[in-house]
Amino acid sequence: MVPDDHKKDFFVLPVFDCNKAPFYRKVDYKDDLVEATKGIVKEESKVREVRPDGSKVLEVTMSLDLNRLGAIKHSRWEFQDESRFSLFIVPGNPFTRSIETATSAMIYCLKNGKSVPFEYYDLPLAPKFFESLEVTLSPNASESQRIIVESLCSSLAPGAVIRESSLKGKVVMK
């Protein structure tokens, strides 16, 4: 369970139409991931003040291209025709800081690798979501794993379509 907004040390960015970055998006498949991800995170610093001793006070700005963040995958996975629901969860809590301090805290946390205080985030979904669910099994899913997926779908998403991977029998995944 995620704690009350005023006690947690992270923030879920509202990206439903922020910079036209959709919550639901189709994955964009690219051969060159280095090139495709260039500029997703941009950091700029400029001198805000030079002190009498010669030291400099820098103003650091960071921007994230939320449209592309989490929406690019290598083209070898294009067969998946994947869609994703993207939540942007960052360390720092704007409810406990001024907005300038919150922004600075988020930038500091991102630059220094501070993570959010959990490994996954459960997002409640509307029951209607499950009416059009499609599940593609792993290429090396066992029969028992298939039975588990079928059982879950029969109780949680009776109309779900379960498909075998087009790579079944062609690849062995670790």
Side-chain angles (χ1 to χ4, degrees), residues 125-145:
L125 298 173
K128 189 172 184 163
F129 167 80
F130 294 100
E131 292 174 9
S132 60
L133 184 66
E134 294 181 21
V135 177
T136 302
L137 297 171
S138 166
N140 54 329
S142 66
E143 185 58 28
S144 60
Q145 289 169 325

Side-chain angles (χ1 to χ4, degrees), residues 58-112:
L58 298 177
E59 181 177 310
V60 179
T61 58
M62 179 183 273
S63 64
L64 300 171
D65 183 348
L66 297 179
N67 237 356
R68 296 187 304 146
L69 189 64
I72 300 171
K73 220 171 162 178
H74 194 278
S75 58
R76 74 174 62 95
W77 298 106
E78 196 164 7
F79 70 91
Q80 292 180 326
D81 192 26
E82 184 180 353
S83 298
R84 291 182 175 173
F85 294 95
S86 298
L87 291 177
F88 297 97
I89 303 175
V90 294
N93 184 345
F95 295 107
T96 59
R97 299 173 175 93
S98 71
I99 196 66
E100 182 180 322
T101 307
T103 303
S104 299
M106 284 191 280
I107 290 171
Y108 175 83
C109 292
L110 290 169
K111 283 180 64 174
N112 291 289

Side-chain angles (χ1 to χ4, degrees), residues 134-138 146 161-166:
E134 294 181 21
V135 177
T136 302
L137 297 171
S138 166
R146 183 187 209 358
V161 174
I162 302 170
R163 294 192 176 112
E164 293 291 341
S165 169
S166 63

Side-chain angles (χ1 to χ4, degrees), residues 10 19 70 78 86-87 89 91 120 154 171:
F10 65 93
N19 298 327
E78 196 164 7
S86 298
L87 291 177
I89 303 175
Y120 61 90
S154 70
V171 297

